[in-house]
Amino acid sequence: MELNSSQYEAVMHVDGPCLVLAGPGSGKTAVLTRRIVELIKSGIPAEEILVITFTKAAAIEMKERFLRLSDDVYPVTFGTFHSLFWGILQEELGYKASDVLLGNNKTKLLKQAMEKARLDSEDTVLLNAFMAEASRFNNLTISMDLYTPKYVDKEDFKVFLKSYQELKNKYRLIDFDDMLSKARQLFKNDSDCLKRWQSRFKYFLVDEMQDMNDIQFELINTLASNTNNIFCVGDDDQSIYGFRGANPKVMQLFLEKYKDARQILLNYNYRNPINVVESAGNLIEKNKVRFPKNITAVAKEGVVDIKEYKNEEEEAEGVYKRIQALIEMGVKHEDIVILFRNHSDARFIVNKLISKNVPFFLKEQMPNVFTHFIINDIEAYFQIAIGNSTRARLLSILNRPNRYLHRMSVEKGKDLKGMCDFYKDNGACLIKVEALKNDLNLLAKMSPCAGINYIKNVMGYTQFLKEEALRLDADFDDYKSILDFLSSVFKDSRTIKQAIDKLNELRLKIDYENKNKALDKKGKIGLYTLHSSKGLEFEDVFIIGVNEGVIPTNKIESKEDLEGERRLFYVGITRTKKNLYLSYTNKKNRDKSRFLDELNVIPRRQ
């Protein structure tokens, strides 16, 4: 590969701090690997070179690309932040793999900490909130006094964190975040240890710098402080992991720390079509906290198309038809990707692909919508209505909506007759059981879609969902969308039995795809969240649900949050090598995303 002038400048940089701004498709990995080769050629011992990236897969890929360029096998160290500092803790403090808290063991310890803090350890939502808050705090470098929890009460959080730390110390256990915080403490407390590791490496190369959190930034600068030979590559416009603690300002902090740092912009984009580069630039320049960049596109113009649909069902149908047209034109399945903000936004397109037998690949495990409690409730009503009553099914719908019927009423039998016997001396409750029995008899004669409407509106299930959303602090609109989705799934089913069979088939299909998600992608369309698409590229990119409240999310609370959402969308649209298809729905109370106007797309000539 022939280097352009800015790439060459970065590759040939040797001593001193350097910040390389590397946008989408700018060849940053080539720059990093070529620079390692040049450092070795200049006489620097390979064992003194440390290359840090953010995922194990990226570290392996980087090493493989370096080895392909090398004329020999050199002992350059490639790793992630966590693998590096975990290795240091193992060597210096004697930790073993069995000391790492993972999976169920971590959950058990967290629950114990919740109990010690007199919090409800059985409330999964609350437990996850405290766990996320602990991780967020541990990735910062500030004291508890200066920390403001985002999701939980501060005093409760202080007690919980203290309890959790005491339990880890008691059993001499360490979690993922501790690998960094304990290394930081080790360096602060043991100057000899710090000197050993500072002398171990002399040249530091950091990939994806924009994904650094505060503690990672401090640690790598501490290690590099003897030589200041720190070479960081990143793109602040692609900083999208704020929820994990990544600090989008860290690249600007680098220049504040190293006043003499060289700054290089990789100003050629070799991936995206010229009109995508222009539109992406129009979008991202609306962010105020960023490095300004003037990027030159190399690829020719592609399609940038924005489409409005009436609802998610029509959107899924429209996307499917476009994909079919591309495949008929010779585009391979694996060169097509569908991106979405959250897994819940993919319900309709997943159902469409399954129903049309279109093979697809899941980048990460997708929650199976067909196991949602609402869908399970509807299925239970349907099963009982057509005579497949069981104790478990009766119990699941007994008080959904609340009929004030006791669970004991189901103990004497698995059907409504047994319930009638139980309440034979209780007139008020007997009337409710008889009403339920009549409703189910009517339900058995309805089409699935009519049955859903009957359960919602006549039997009172909608009111139950409103109360449930209030109780769980959930979004009632999300619950409604599940029912709308289920109605669309059942629209071609004539009988309740057909609907149940279809439901089971779809449930099994998603379970199968989840289980086999790590297998071969060949011949399959990719389904990714915007977050999980980072670092990838495809010929044709579809982004669905580009609506206000989705992209950007309705959870934004500040200008900082909005800029983060804009960066996320920027990452999505720059995945394409040829064509970009954006779509939104015009459902009531949901406008198209402001980001679509910010792209300033000029309609193509037909």
Side-chain angles (χ1 to χ4, degrees):
M1 168 187 165
E2 187 176 339
L3 300 174
N4 63 45
S5 58
S6 58
Q7 288 174 330
Y8 182 79
E9 182 184 359
V11 164
M12 300 310 293
H13 176 82
V14 181
D15 293 320
C18 181
L19 176 65
V20 178
L21 299 170
S26 59
K28 70 177 179 64
T29 305
V31 165
L32 280 162
T33 50
R34 290 281 287 270
R35 179 170 187 260
I36 302 167
V37 171
E38 292 300 326
L39 287 175
I40 294 171
K41 280 183 181 178
S42 73
I44 292 160
E47 59 269 20
E48 294 182 357
I49 300 172
L50 172 66
V51 184
I52 292 286
T53 189
F54 277 80
T55 65
K56 184 179 178 181
I60 291 170
E61 182 192 356
M62 189 87 68
K63 184 175 183 177
E64 288 174 347
R65 289 183 64 167
F66 162 68
L67 291 173
R68 287 198 294 270
L69 289 172
S70 307
D71 57 4
D72 201 349
V73 177
Y74 294 101
V76 175
T77 299
F78 293 83
T80 65
F81 274 101
H82 285 88
S83 69
L84 171 67
F85 292 106
W86 170 235
I88 291 173
L89 292 179
Q90 286 176 298
E91 190 167 325
E92 297 292 339
L93 300 179
Y95 278 106
K96 305 183 296 295
S98 57
D99 298 325
V100 181
L101 263 176
L102 297 170
N104 290 335
N105 289 333
K106 183 174 181 179
T107 302
K108 286 177 186 175
L109 209 69
L110 285 164
K111 285 187 173 184
Q112 287 181 44
M114 294 280 283
E115 288 164 6
K116 285 186 73 174
R118 297 187 177 181
L119 298 164
D120 184 359
S121 64
E122 296 306 313
D123 187 332
T124 306
V125 175
L126 190 65
L127 178 66
N128 288 337
F130 274 92
M131 189 164 61
E133 205 67 69
S135 185
R136 183 168 170 254
F137 173 74
N138 287 329
N139 284 317
L140 298 172
T141 55
I142 60 174
S143 67
M144 177 61 77
D145 291 338
L146 297 175
Y147 182 69
T148 304
K150 195 170 183 179
Y151 308 109
V152 299
D153 177 77
K154 183 166 184 173
E155 289 307 310
D156 285 345
F157 179 61
K158 285 170 71 174
V159 177
F160 162 78
L161 199 62
K162 184 172 181 289
S163 301
Y164 181 47
Q165 195 58 54
E166 286 172 352
L167 286 165
K168 285 189 292 183
N169 292 340
K170 177 181 177 181
Y171 300 113
R172 201 176 186 275
L173 295 170
I174 185 171
D175 66 16
F176 205 57
D177 295 324
D178 291 330
M179 293 177 187
L180 302 184
S181 59
K182 283 191 177 294
R184 178 178 181 247
Q185 203 59 46
L186 176 65
F187 288 163
K188 282 182 177 293
N189 296 340
D190 189 338
S191 58
D192 290 338
C193 170
L194 175 58
K195 285 174 185 174
R196 279 197 299 276
W197 287 98
Q198 285 176 330
S199 62
R200 169 74 172 79
F201 300 109
K202 302 287 175 36
Y203 288 84
F204 302 82
L205 292 81
V206 181
D207 187 23
E208 302 285 10
M209 188 195 186
Q210 75 281 349
D211 294 335
M212 268 191 196
N213 58 42
D214 294 353
I215 196 168
Q216 289 165 339
F217 185 63
E218 180 183 312
L219 281 167
I220 199 67
N221 286 319
T222 300
L223 277 183
S225 60
N226 271 5
T227 64
N228 283 350
N229 292 329
I230 181 166
F231 181 91
C232 294
V233 179
D235 181 10
D236 55 331
D237 291 333
Q238 295 187 74
S239 178
I240 61 172
Y241 296 123
F243 64 96
R244 294 182 190 166
N247 183 354
K249 299 174 185 175
V250 76
M251 295 176 73
Q252 294 177 352
L253 293 174
F254 181 89
L255 294 182
E256 291 175 17
K257 179 174 179 61
Y258 300 101
K259 304 292 185 186
D260 60 336
R262 179 184 290 187
Q263 184 178 328
I264 301 169
L265 170 65
L266 301 186
N267 57 334
Y268 283 90
N269 181 323
Y270 294 94
R271 176 198 302 156
N272 305 134
I274 184 170
N275 50 335
V276 172
V277 172
E278 290 170 357
S279 295
N282 294 335
L283 171 82
I284 204 63
E285 71 181 11
K286 299 293 189 294
N287 278 2
K288 303 302 179 189
V289 183
R290 64 182 292 268
F291 288 93
K293 305 173 189 72
N294 185 16
I295 304 296
T296 300
V298 173
K300 64 181 182 180
E301 184 173 303
V303 171
V304 179
D305 187 75
I306 300 173
K307 186 82 173 174
E308 176 189 280
Y309 293 99
K310 183 179 177 182
N311 52 44
E312 290 98 331
E313 189 178 354
E314 282 195 8
E315 182 179 43
E317 177 68 20
V319 169
Y320 162 72
K321 285 181 176 177
R322 285 181 162 202
I323 286 173
Q324 284 303 106
L326 289 171
I327 290 168
E328 287 169 10
M329 290 165 56
V331 178
K332 295 177 182 176
H333 285 73
E334 59 264 34
D335 290 331
I336 302 171
V337 71
I338 302 170
L339 305 181
F340 36 86
R341 180 63 174 82
N342 301 304
H343 289 300
S344 58
D345 303 316
R347 294 171 192 147
F348 287 86
I349 192 66
V350 166
N351 181 54
K352 180 61 66 176
L353 296 178
I354 291 173
S355 66
K356 297 294 184 179
N357 293 314
V358 178
F360 60 88
F361 167 81
L362 297 174
K363 168 69 183 295
E364 53 194 5
Q365 186 151 321
M366 176 180 288
N368 194 335
V369 65
F370 296 106
T371 62
H372 195 284
F373 83 85
I374 293 174
I375 293 181
N376 288 339
D377 286 352
I378 299 299
E379 184 190 7
Y381 271 114
F382 281 2
Q383 292 276 21
I384 296 167
I386 62 172
N388 298 328
S389 182
T390 65
R391 180 174 178 272
R393 285 170 182 154
L394 266 178
L395 283 173
S396 69
I397 58 95
L398 190 64
N399 289 305
R400 296 186 172 207
N402 203 341
R403 300 179 179 89
Y404 302 97
L405 298 174
H406 201 282
R407 293 174 63 86
M408 289 294 292
S409 65
V410 186
E411 296 294 334
K412 287 185 176 287
K414 65 179 183 180
D415 55 20
L416 291 167
K417 183 179 183 303
M419 291 179 67
C420 288
D421 292 342
F422 183 87
Y423 283 121
K424 63 185 178 183
D425 297 323
N426 185 331
C429 287
L430 184 60
I431 289 172
K432 290 175 184 175
V433 176
E434 290 288 355
L436 176 59
K437 188 176 176 181
N438 291 334
D439 284 333
L440 289 165
N441 287 336
L442 287 171
L443 200 57
K445 302 169 186 175
M446 296 180 184
S447 69
C449 289
I452 291 173
N453 285 330
Y454 189 81
I455 293 168
K456 284 194 316 185
N457 303 321
V458 179
M459 298 177 71
Y461 192 73
T462 296
Q463 183 58 36
F464 159 73
L465 288 181
K466 285 180 181 176
E467 293 165 2
E468 196 71 355
L470 192 64
R471 184 178 74 83
L472 297 174
D473 193 25
D475 189 339
F476 173 59
D477 286 338
D478 286 346
Y479 286 174
K480 283 199 303 182
S481 73
I482 293 285
L483 288 169
D484 292 342
F485 167 70
L486 192 59
S487 293
S488 76
V489 170
F490 289 161
K491 68 175 184 177
D492 296 325
S493 300
R494 295 175 60 191
T495 68
I496 284 178
K497 186 180 183 309
Q498 286 176 353
I500 291 170
D501 290 343
K502 185 170 188 179
L503 191 58
N504 288 324
E505 178 189 342
L506 294 170
R507 189 179 284 138
L508 289 170
K509 176 69 174 172
I510 293 183
D511 281 344
Y512 175 82
E513 295 297 338
N514 274 331
K515 186 177 179 181
N516 295 282
K517 64 185 177 63
L519 300 181
D520 192 7
K521 304 175 190 177
K522 193 172 181 181
K524 299 176 182 178
I525 289 165
L527 265 64
Y528 297 73
T529 62
L530 288 169
H531 281 101
S532 66
S533 73
K534 187 170 175 288
L536 304 174
E537 55 184 40
F538 302 88
E539 300 285 312
D540 294 274
V541 172
F542 291 80
I543 305 182
I544 61 174
V546 191
N547 284 83
E548 285 293 312
V550 182
I551 308 172
T553 175
N554 57 7
K555 296 175 182 175
I556 52 175
E557 298 175 352
S558 64
K559 289 180 181 178
E560 229 174 39
D561 290 345
L562 180 60
E563 293 205 353
E565 288 292 299
R566 191 177 280 114
R567 290 193 295 269
L568 183 59
F569 188 51
Y570 175 82
V571 165
I573 63 179
T574 54
R575 298 309 92 202
T576 184
K577 294 194 288 183
K578 281 192 176 178
N579 304 313
L580 177 65
Y581 304 94
L582 308 171
S583 58
Y584 65 96
T585 60
N586 64 2
K587 284 175 66 176
K588 186 180 178 184
N589 300 327
R590 181 164 282 182
D591 298 323
K592 72 174 183 178
S593 171
R594 70 192 80 181
F595 296 158
L596 293 175
D597 290 332
E598 291 175 1
L599 291 171
N600 195 23
V601 173
I602 299 171
R604 289 193 315 138
R605 291 190 296 273
Q606 298 298 316

